[in-house]
Amino acid sequence: MKIHNLTENRHTDFFEFNRKVYPRRKEVVERFNFQFLGNPLLQDKSGPHILIACDADDQIIGQMGAMPLKYHFENQIQSGFCGCDFFVLEEYRKKGVGGFLKFKSMKEFEPWFSIGMSEDSKKLLVAAKAKRIGSVYSMIWFRGLPSLIKSAYWFVFKKENQSGHKQSQLIRFPEFLSHKSHTFKKISSLGQREDIPWKDGTLMFTRSSEFITWRFLNEERYAIYVLEEDNSTYFAVRKIKLLGSDFLAIVDYRVPFEDKETFESIVYTSKKMAKILGCQGILTMSSH
């Protein structure tokens, strides 16, 4: 087994491998161009940060991606990487391929962050002596008992995972949402905004105007809302398929540290939006 950096002459093999291991991804090339080459923090567009593992016949058997990011910590903005698209063919999963990919990625692309990992990935990171900074929890809210029963019924009688299902029609997100004294407006472009760090000692991933535009404003499936009186506070949503039904996912948000009232308004306005769009509930992640 050998580990290589993905080069342009292996793109075709890499795309075929991804079509095989992620059969629900219908736009593999487009996703690669957006997720990796389109990242505004990628300095060399000819060399995205992806490692591939190959067998003795030079066939791809595993992959590990890393997306460049910036973060605030101890009053400084620093650079790092976030792991993504980690996959090893099942027949090679107990032969050290995954551990080797993780270890080499963490050494080559540091500092290294992993978010939303599977239990197997956590074990590999622990074996590689990764430091634990914190935990991220998935949270789900159902609109009511009928929504909960419907999702539970689907979970029991259908095993196929439909999350990530591409929407076939344009979603009409509301233009304004309010809760108490907070009003959020949907935006299609973003001017200059101040990326205010949280209190000292707290790590925070940066969200520059350039990053937000790339990540959320170039795709119609996302909607981003800013607080009318302060565009440094925002949240981004998208409609997804989960448990056989439509759900609204809060995919990103930025709230001043410990401002519980504003965060509460984001949650409540998202609940309103879920009802408007006919979603059965909302889904998000949080370290709080």
Side-chain angles (χ1 to χ4, degrees):
M1 179 196 67
K2 293 183 179 180
I3 305 291
H4 306 282
N5 288 92
L6 178 66
T7 53
E8 193 169 355
N9 66 314
R10 296 302 302 267
H11 280 187
T12 299
D13 297 336
F14 177 77
F15 297 149
E16 287 303 314
F17 180 76
N18 275 260
R19 291 188 183 100
K20 176 182 178 181
V21 299
Y22 298 115
R24 289 192 171 278
R25 292 182 181 176
K26 304 303 180 184
E27 300 175 342
V28 169
V29 177
E30 291 81 1
R31 188 179 189 277
F32 170 82
N33 290 334
F34 170 77
Q35 182 177 3
F36 292 100
L37 300 185
N39 189 324
L41 297 177
L42 179 65
Q43 296 180 349
D44 183 2
K45 300 299 181 181
S46 65
H49 305 293
I50 299 175
L51 297 180
I52 54 174
C54 299
D55 63 11
D57 297 322
D58 206 31
Q59 298 297 307
I60 298 177
I61 58 175
Q63 66 179 34
M64 181 80 246
M67 295 193 297
L69 55 81
K70 289 186 179 295
Y71 63 96
H72 288 289
F73 187 63
E74 296 183 343
N75 297 317
Q76 292 184 352
I77 296 180
Q78 303 180 46
S79 298
F81 297 88
C82 184
C84 64
D85 285 2
F86 174 49
F87 197 98
V88 174
L89 293 180
E90 188 172 358
E91 57 266 34
Y92 291 92
R93 289 180 186 175
K94 294 185 179 180
K95 299 182 179 181
V97 177
F100 196 17
L101 267 173
K102 282 278 188 181
F103 182 79
K104 187 169 178 60
S105 297
M106 291 169 59
K107 292 297 182 183
E108 187 161 336
F109 310 121
E110 54 179 357
W112 176 273
F113 296 91
S114 291
I115 300 173
M117 301 162 288
S118 67
E119 289 302 317
D120 288 339
S121 292
K122 288 180 182 179
K123 292 176 183 178
L124 291 174
L125 287 170
V126 170
K129 300 186 183 304
K131 295 180 179 179
R132 178 175 176 177
I133 296 177
S135 298
V136 177
Y137 304 94
S138 296
M139 302 179 183
I140 189 168
W141 169 79
F142 295 94
R143 282 179 55 187
L145 185 59
S147 298
L148 178 59
I149 293 174
K150 180 179 179 181
S151 297
Y153 180 86
W154 182 92
F155 183 80
V156 171
F157 294 102
K158 292 185 178 293
K159 299 299 182 183
E160 186 180 5
N161 182 13
Q162 296 184 27
S163 61
H165 175 73
K166 186 178 178 181
Q167 301 296 325
S168 59
Q169 59 184 4
L170 182 66
I171 303 169
R172 298 189 179 278
F173 292 98
E175 295 296 323
F176 292 91
L177 291 161
S178 298
H179 178 258
K180 293 184 177 180
S181 62
H182 299 102
T183 298
F184 295 92
K185 62 179 179 180
K186 180 175 172 289
I187 60 171
S188 57
S189 62
L190 188 68
Q192 291 300 312
R193 60 183 294 277
E194 189 175 2
D195 198 22
I196 304 171
W198 288 347
K199 66 180 183 180
D200 294 345
T202 300
L203 184 147
M204 184 198 81
F205 296 118
T206 63
R207 288 295 185 262
S208 65
S209 297
E210 186 180 27
F211 178 91
I212 293 175
T213 298
W214 161 69
R215 188 66 182 86
F216 302 118
L217 290 176
N218 288 328
E219 291 197 75
E220 292 181 344
R221 59 180 176 168
Y222 291 100
I224 186 165
Y225 292 83
V226 298
L227 193 61
E228 277 199 319
E229 60 270 24
D230 176 18
N231 76 346
S232 67
T233 296
Y234 77 90
F235 68 101
V237 295
R238 62 169 292 194
K239 200 173 181 181
I240 64 170
K241 278 288 184 183
L242 179 71
L243 300 174
S245 301
D246 289 328
F247 276 76
L248 187 70
I250 307 174
V251 294
D252 198 30
Y253 50 86
R254 175 71 170 85
V255 183
F257 192 72
E258 294 181 344
D259 185 351
K260 296 181 180 179
E261 186 177 339
T262 301
F263 185 73
E264 180 186 74
S265 291
I266 288 177
V267 174
Y268 275 89
T269 53
S270 297
K271 289 181 177 182
K272 291 180 181 178
M273 197 187 321
K275 293 176 182 178
I276 292 171
L277 298 176
C279 296
Q280 298 301 315
I282 60 174
L283 176 73
T284 191
M285 293 194 299
S286 177
S287 58
H288 296 277

